[in-house]
Amino acid sequence: MFSIALTATRIGSPILGVIIPVIILGLSIVLTLMLIRHFIKR
Amino acid sequence: MISFALLDWVWLISFTLLMVIFGMYFYRLGKRSESDFFLAGRGLPWWLPASSVYATHTATDTPIWIAGVVYKYGFAGLWYAFFSAWCAVSAFVSTKIFRRSLAYSQAEWQSLRFSGLGSEMLRGWVAGWQVFMNMFILGWVGIAMGKLCGLLFGWDLWLGLVLFTSIGAIYVLMSGYWGVVMADFQQGVIAFFIIVIVSIWGVVAAGGPDGIISKLKTYNSTCEWKVPAEIADQSRASIRIVDPETCKIYAQSPAPFVIQQHRDEEFFKWTEDRTLKLVTDVIPQRSQNVEILFPGVGDTLLAGYGYNVIWTAGKTGKRVNIDFSLDEGQTWANIDVNHFDGQSWRINPFSFSGFSKGRFPVAWFVTMMIIALIGGFGMGTSFDWYTEAQRIQSAKTVRDASYSIWAGTALVLIRNSIWAAAILGFFVIYPHLGRGTDYEMGWYIVGFKYLPIGMVGFLFAGILAIHLSTVSTQLNLGAMYATRDFYHHYVNPQASEKKLIRVGRISTFIILIGSFIFGTIIGEEITQWLIFALWIMAAGVWLPNILQVIWWRFNSWGFLSAWIANLGLSWLVVWILPRFGIIPELPDYIQFWILMVLNALIYLPVTFLTKPGNMDHLVKYYVMSRPIGFWGPVRKEAIKRGLLNPIE
């Protein structure tokens, strides 16, 4: 069944493969730093 | 196999490092005390345990399960996952009672609620059961990851299991629950985004929401049929579609087709691909005459394989019986009760197969709603309670505990709906799949097939986040039962905090190794047996789990007898009596009600024939936990002793 997945039919510009992960990685890092700061203050 | 571009590796390594380093960062907080290592010092704001509830209950096998039920039953399949709604009631009832008790674990709560020898036996039993079950769940989700890595990268099963569970174990061993809950927050965010993104891509690939709805309206009808494996080679078979009320035959195979015994994946695939066109072909002028499109004249089906029976959509919204015959129509056996009129029923969340007939009856739905909603009054009525209990105790106040359970479960239910949209899109693209093992991979297939380069590595990072959030929780939870309820309670009650944390880490390591052994030996039979074990727990002990919370007179002997009786009765009702033909094989929701009544006939007399719990112990528990329900005599005693204000 995974042969279906092997014949990839990519949708969307390849630039999305950079932009979207960068935004989410950035958001994750910001949230991480905020969380660390929250508990250091306590 | 999937090939990763450089960009895919960049995202996978970046996200993995972020998750693991963040979990390890809380090493210094985790090693302060037993309370820190297992409950983050009971000081967390509600949104942290809430994100942990959501992240923990999103495992690598969850999208497989949701894809299976939604592909099969459409949006109505989401009700299968609605059992988590018990938290909606629990957040205001059992969550509050449990948080006030200050018990570390459900096993410890048993010894606060009950007294004497029975309470100790219960604590030991629950703790042992939990250590074992956490090891089993770890093996289960670990091998799901191993299988996924095998499909994606061609790895041996053990490699995906050992590598990715060990990555999670690094920060659990170092930081304990602090690492678990903090990494869960981050993993929950990553997982939520990837679930939304893959679902959007799935819906777009299927033609958008309007495209999905309009295609479903034009598709022909299908009904999944797993051809019985025991049918003799070269059997000639026919199919018919019948009105169950009037017995009117709507359609019948014009000539028999052949069923063969041998296994031939290539041939099966060829037949399956051919049926795609039969489902999606628009029949220009639909008439009252329904026509069976597959299997038809000249078709050969393989015994033991799953296919879809396909027929032109009927005009009425009736349910019909799909039957097959092996003796030229002299006798008929039922395949299923199914929708007659194409595929548009899939977008209706209430498209049941009848009140008590078919695979998706209303009676099942009502039973499930009762189990979920009334179950919220008890503790342990759902297996998820044990992970939730740890999150409840880690919240800083009773209110935070309530909010966390409510919000975490709301996120789980929202997540399921987002997944369902992607799976409906997947169905529109591949409406001909008859094998569960194929369509259950639907969500993963959508992601790996349609996401652009770079996003594939990000998708795998999301899958890893899903995996780590589950394994980290089970590792720490299993270690908590081993440390708190065995070592600290029985072996060394005077142990120092340092010693307890060392034992916590050793327990985590032992559970990790146990899960590897479990994961590699786990087979279909063991899994089925353990799912049965979980089910009987839900069936026979469901009501006692509620009674122990709301009824003062229910004692430890009553609860223990319920457990023991349930073990015997469930074997009788589910396996032994049907095997000897004494009772028929019953649907699971009927088994639930029978087991509930039969069990009550044992534990209620045992409760009344044995003494109530010690009043001092009950008063102490009542004052501390303030349970709701039937606690009149204990409350009166607490007021008499001046421990409770009468107007409270």
PDB file of all heavy atoms in Angstrom, chain B residues 517-535:
ATOM      1  N   ILE B 517      11.507  -5.872  24.775  1.00  0.00           N
ATOM      2  CA  ILE B 517      11.225  -7.314  24.697  1.00  0.00           C
ATOM      3  C   ILE B 517       9.773  -7.515  24.258  1.00  0.00           C
ATOM      4  O   ILE B 517       9.481  -8.280  23.344  1.00  0.00           O
ATOM      5  CB  ILE B 517      11.504  -7.996  26.063  1.00  0.00           C
ATOM      6  CG1 ILE B 517      12.991  -7.855  26.405  1.00  0.00           C
ATOM      7  CG2 ILE B 517      11.061  -9.455  26.053  1.00  0.00           C
ATOM      8  CD1 ILE B 517      13.348  -8.180  27.834  1.00  0.00           C
ATOM      9  N   PHE B 518       8.876  -6.775  24.901  1.00  0.00           N
ATOM     10  CA  PHE B 518       7.457  -6.861  24.564  1.00  0.00           C
ATOM     11  C   PHE B 518       7.223  -6.516  23.094  1.00  0.00           C
ATOM     12  O   PHE B 518       6.508  -7.212  22.375  1.00  0.00           O
ATOM     13  CB  PHE B 518       6.668  -5.866  25.419  1.00  0.00           C
ATOM     14  CG  PHE B 518       5.532  -6.504  26.137  1.00  0.00           C
ATOM     15  CD1 PHE B 518       5.352  -6.310  27.492  1.00  0.00           C
ATOM     16  CD2 PHE B 518       4.629  -7.311  25.459  1.00  0.00           C
ATOM     17  CE1 PHE B 518       4.311  -6.907  28.160  1.00  0.00           C
ATOM     18  CE2 PHE B 518       3.588  -7.906  26.119  1.00  0.00           C
ATOM     19  CZ  PHE B 518       3.422  -7.699  27.471  1.00  0.00           C
ATOM     20  N   GLY B 519       7.844  -5.405  22.668  1.00  0.00           N
ATOM     21  CA  GLY B 519       7.660  -4.926  21.295  1.00  0.00           C
ATOM     22  C   GLY B 519       8.076  -5.957  20.267  1.00  0.00           C
ATOM     23  O   GLY B 519       7.407  -6.130  19.246  1.00  0.00           O
ATOM     24  N   THR B 520       9.169  -6.670  20.543  1.00  0.00           N
ATOM     25  CA  THR B 520       9.667  -7.615  19.541  1.00  0.00           C
ATOM     26  C   THR B 520       8.872  -8.925  19.543  1.00  0.00           C
ATOM     27  O   THR B 520       8.808  -9.594  18.517  1.00  0.00           O
ATOM     28  CB  THR B 520      11.166  -7.924  19.764  1.00  0.00           C
ATOM     29  OG1 THR B 520      11.358  -8.168  21.149  1.00  0.00           O
ATOM     30  CG2 THR B 520      12.048  -6.784  19.331  1.00  0.00           C
ATOM     31  N   ILE B 521       8.250  -9.276  20.687  1.00  0.00           N
ATOM     32  CA  ILE B 521       7.484 -10.544  20.687  1.00  0.00           C
ATOM     33  C   ILE B 521       5.999 -10.314  20.428  1.00  0.00           C
ATOM     34  O   ILE B 521       5.243 -11.256  20.268  1.00  0.00           O
ATOM     35  CB  ILE B 521       7.646 -11.332  22.011  1.00  0.00           C
ATOM     36  CG1 ILE B 521       7.095 -10.528  23.195  1.00  0.00           C
ATOM     37  CG2 ILE B 521       9.077 -11.749  22.237  1.00  0.00           C
ATOM     38  CD1 ILE B 521       6.895 -11.356  24.446  1.00  0.00           C
ATOM     39  N   ILE B 522       5.595  -9.041  20.411  1.00  0.00           N
ATOM     40  CA  ILE B 522       4.171  -8.748  20.304  1.00  0.00           C
ATOM     41  C   ILE B 522       3.654  -9.246  18.957  1.00  0.00           C
ATOM     42  O   ILE B 522       4.229  -8.998  17.920  1.00  0.00           O
ATOM     43  CB  ILE B 522       3.943  -7.224  20.470  1.00  0.00           C
ATOM     44  CG1 ILE B 522       2.754  -6.964  21.360  1.00  0.00           C
ATOM     45  CG2 ILE B 522       3.761  -6.493  19.165  1.00  0.00           C
ATOM     46  CD1 ILE B 522       2.734  -5.562  21.911  1.00  0.00           C
ATOM     47  N   GLY B 523       2.603 -10.024  19.001  1.00  0.00           N
ATOM     48  CA  GLY B 523       2.016 -10.535  17.767  1.00  0.00           C
ATOM     49  C   GLY B 523       0.533 -10.241  17.795  1.00  0.00           C
ATOM     50  O   GLY B 523       0.031  -9.666  18.759  1.00  0.00           O
ATOM     51  N   GLU B 524      -0.143 -10.649  16.737  1.00  0.00           N
ATOM     52  CA  GLU B 524      -1.569 -10.339  16.653  1.00  0.00           C
ATOM     53  C   GLU B 524      -2.342 -10.966  17.809  1.00  0.00           C
ATOM     54  O   GLU B 524      -3.231 -10.364  18.381  1.00  0.00           O
ATOM     55  CB  GLU B 524      -2.109 -10.846  15.330  1.00  0.00           C
ATOM     56  CG  GLU B 524      -3.275 -10.018  14.831  1.00  0.00           C
ATOM     57  CD  GLU B 524      -3.610 -10.347  13.407  1.00  0.00           C
ATOM     58  OE1 GLU B 524      -2.778 -10.113  12.521  1.00  0.00           O
ATOM     59  OE2 GLU B 524      -4.702 -10.853  13.203  1.00  0.00           O
ATOM     60  N   GLU B 525      -1.937 -12.198  18.187  1.00  0.00           N
ATOM     61  CA  GLU B 525      -2.683 -12.910  19.227  1.00  0.00           C
ATOM     62  C   GLU B 525      -2.542 -12.231  20.580  1.00  0.00           C
ATOM     63  O   GLU B 525      -3.513 -12.057  21.314  1.00  0.00           O
ATOM     64  CB  GLU B 525      -2.184 -14.356  19.343  1.00  0.00           C
ATOM     65  CG  GLU B 525      -2.793 -15.221  18.264  1.00  0.00           C
ATOM     66  CD  GLU B 525      -2.289 -16.651  18.349  1.00  0.00           C
ATOM     67  OE1 GLU B 525      -1.739 -17.013  19.393  1.00  0.00           O
ATOM     68  OE2 GLU B 525      -2.441 -17.362  17.353  1.00  0.00           O
ATOM     69  N   ILE B 526      -1.295 -11.843  20.907  1.00  0.00           N
ATOM     70  CA  ILE B 526      -1.063 -11.180  22.194  1.00  0.00           C
ATOM     71  C   ILE B 526      -1.832  -9.861  22.233  1.00  0.00           C
ATOM     72  O   ILE B 526      -2.470  -9.517  23.225  1.00  0.00           O
ATOM     73  CB  ILE B 526       0.441 -10.929  22.430  1.00  0.00           C
ATOM     74  CG1 ILE B 526       1.168 -12.264  22.558  1.00  0.00           C
ATOM     75  CG2 ILE B 526       0.679 -10.091  23.669  1.00  0.00           C
ATOM     76  CD1 ILE B 526       2.655 -12.154  22.726  1.00  0.00           C
ATOM     77  N   THR B 527      -1.774  -9.129  21.126  1.00  0.00           N
ATOM     78  CA  THR B 527      -2.468  -7.845  21.082  1.00  0.00           C
ATOM     79  C   THR B 527      -3.962  -8.050  21.289  1.00  0.00           C
ATOM     80  O   THR B 527      -4.590  -7.345  22.071  1.00  0.00           O
ATOM     81  CB  THR B 527      -2.208  -7.153  19.729  1.00  0.00           C
ATOM     82  OG1 THR B 527      -0.812  -7.111  19.527  1.00  0.00           O
ATOM     83  CG2 THR B 527      -2.766  -5.755  19.704  1.00  0.00           C
ATOM     84  N   GLN B 528      -4.510  -9.027  20.597  1.00  0.00           N
ATOM     85  CA  GLN B 528      -5.945  -9.291  20.737  1.00  0.00           C
ATOM     86  C   GLN B 528      -6.284  -9.659  22.169  1.00  0.00           C
ATOM     87  O   GLN B 528      -7.283  -9.198  22.721  1.00  0.00           O
ATOM     88  CB  GLN B 528      -6.351 -10.444  19.825  1.00  0.00           C
ATOM     89  CG  GLN B 528      -6.740  -9.947  18.454  1.00  0.00           C
ATOM     90  CD  GLN B 528      -7.201 -11.084  17.554  1.00  0.00           C
ATOM     91  OE1 GLN B 528      -7.156 -12.256  17.948  1.00  0.00           O
ATOM     92  NE2 GLN B 528      -7.618 -10.740  16.361  1.00  0.00           N
ATOM     93  N   TRP B 529      -5.434 -10.456  22.785  1.00  0.00           N
ATOM     94  CA  TRP B 529      -5.693 -10.887  24.147  1.00  0.00           C
ATOM     95  C   TRP B 529      -5.674  -9.687  25.100  1.00  0.00           C
ATOM     96  O   TRP B 529      -6.512  -9.561  25.981  1.00  0.00           O
ATOM     97  CB  TRP B 529      -4.638 -11.915  24.585  1.00  0.00           C
ATOM     98  CG  TRP B 529      -4.991 -12.525  25.900  1.00  0.00           C
ATOM     99  CD1 TRP B 529      -5.794 -13.605  26.112  1.00  0.00           C
ATOM    100  CD2 TRP B 529      -4.602 -12.050  27.183  1.00  0.00           C
ATOM    101  NE1 TRP B 529      -5.921 -13.831  27.449  1.00  0.00           N
ATOM    102  CE2 TRP B 529      -5.201 -12.897  28.145  1.00  0.00           C
ATOM    103  CE3 TRP B 529      -3.815 -10.995  27.643  1.00  0.00           C
ATOM    104  CZ2 TRP B 529      -5.034 -12.722  29.510  1.00  0.00           C
ATOM    105  CZ3 TRP B 529      -3.656 -10.814  29.003  1.00  0.00           C
ATOM    106  CH2 TRP B 529      -4.252 -11.674  29.918  1.00  0.00           C
ATOM    107  N   LEU B 530      -4.710  -8.809  24.892  1.00  0.00           N
ATOM    108  CA  LEU B 530      -4.598  -7.668  25.794  1.00  0.00           C
ATOM    109  C   LEU B 530      -5.695  -6.635  25.556  1.00  0.00           C
ATOM    110  O   LEU B 530      -6.166  -6.001  26.486  1.00  0.00           O
ATOM    111  CB  LEU B 530      -3.209  -7.031  25.673  1.00  0.00           C
ATOM    112  CG  LEU B 530      -2.191  -7.828  26.479  1.00  0.00           C
ATOM    113  CD1 LEU B 530      -0.782  -7.594  25.982  1.00  0.00           C
ATOM    114  CD2 LEU B 530      -2.279  -7.514  27.957  1.00  0.00           C
ATOM    115  N   ILE B 531      -6.115  -6.501  24.300  1.00  0.00           N
ATOM    116  CA  ILE B 531      -7.252  -5.608  24.039  1.00  0.00           C
ATOM    117  C   ILE B 531      -8.486  -6.185  24.737  1.00  0.00           C
ATOM    118  O   ILE B 531      -9.271  -5.459  25.340  1.00  0.00           O
ATOM    119  CB  ILE B 531      -7.477  -5.442  22.520  1.00  0.00           C
ATOM    120  CG1 ILE B 531      -6.337  -4.592  21.947  1.00  0.00           C
ATOM    121  CG2 ILE B 531      -8.817  -4.783  22.226  1.00  0.00           C
ATOM    122  CD1 ILE B 531      -6.303  -4.514  20.450  1.00  0.00           C
ATOM    123  N   PHE B 532      -8.600  -7.508  24.699  1.00  0.00           N
ATOM    124  CA  PHE B 532      -9.696  -8.175  25.412  1.00  0.00           C
ATOM    125  C   PHE B 532      -9.583  -7.894  26.910  1.00  0.00           C
ATOM    126  O   PHE B 532     -10.566  -7.572  27.576  1.00  0.00           O
ATOM    127  CB  PHE B 532      -9.639  -9.683  25.129  1.00  0.00           C
ATOM    128  CG  PHE B 532     -10.452 -10.519  26.080  1.00  0.00           C
ATOM    129  CD1 PHE B 532     -11.826 -10.536  26.004  1.00  0.00           C
ATOM    130  CD2 PHE B 532      -9.823 -11.287  27.048  1.00  0.00           C
ATOM    131  CE1 PHE B 532     -12.584 -11.298  26.879  1.00  0.00           C
ATOM    132  CE2 PHE B 532     -10.556 -12.059  27.925  1.00  0.00           C
ATOM    133  CZ  PHE B 532     -11.945 -12.058  27.842  1.00  0.00           C
ATOM    134  N   ALA B 533      -8.346  -7.969  27.426  1.00  0.00           N
ATOM    135  CA  ALA B 533      -8.141  -7.718  28.859  1.00  0.00           C
ATOM    136  C   ALA B 533      -8.559  -6.291  29.218  1.00  0.00           C
ATOM    137  O   ALA B 533      -9.165  -6.048  30.259  1.00  0.00           O
ATOM    138  CB  ALA B 533      -6.671  -7.952  29.229  1.00  0.00           C
ATOM    139  N   LEU B 534      -8.256  -5.344  28.346  1.00  0.00           N
ATOM    140  CA  LEU B 534      -8.648  -3.956  28.594  1.00  0.00           C
ATOM    141  C   LEU B 534     -10.164  -3.807  28.523  1.00  0.00           C
ATOM    142  O   LEU B 534     -10.771  -3.084  29.296  1.00  0.00           O
ATOM    143  CB  LEU B 534      -8.017  -3.032  27.539  1.00  0.00           C
ATOM    144  CG  LEU B 534      -6.554  -2.699  27.727  1.00  0.00           C
ATOM    145  CD1 LEU B 534      -6.068  -1.828  26.585  1.00  0.00           C
ATOM    146  CD2 LEU B 534      -6.336  -1.986  29.046  1.00  0.00           C
ATOM    147  N   TRP B 535     -10.763  -4.527  27.578  1.00  0.00           N
ATOM    148  CA  TRP B 535     -12.199  -4.429  27.384  1.00  0.00           C
ATOM    149  C   TRP B 535     -12.955  -5.001  28.594  1.00  0.00           C
ATOM    150  O   TRP B 535     -13.897  -4.386  29.083  1.00  0.00           O
ATOM    151  CB  TRP B 535     -12.587  -5.158  26.092  1.00  0.00           C
ATOM    152  CG  TRP B 535     -14.046  -5.464  25.993  1.00  0.00           C
ATOM    153  CD1 TRP B 535     -14.617  -6.678  25.908  1.00  0.00           C
ATOM    154  CD2 TRP B 535     -15.118  -4.513  25.975  1.00  0.00           C
ATOM    155  NE1 TRP B 535     -15.986  -6.560  25.847  1.00  0.00           N
ATOM    156  CE2 TRP B 535     -16.321  -5.249  25.892  1.00  0.00           C
ATOM    157  CE3 TRP B 535     -15.199  -3.136  26.055  1.00  0.00           C
ATOM    158  CZ2 TRP B 535     -17.569  -4.643  25.869  1.00  0.00           C
ATOM    159  CZ3 TRP B 535     -16.443  -2.527  26.028  1.00  0.00           C
ATOM    160  CH2 TRP B 535     -17.608  -3.279  25.922  1.00  0.00           C
TER     161      TRP B 535
END
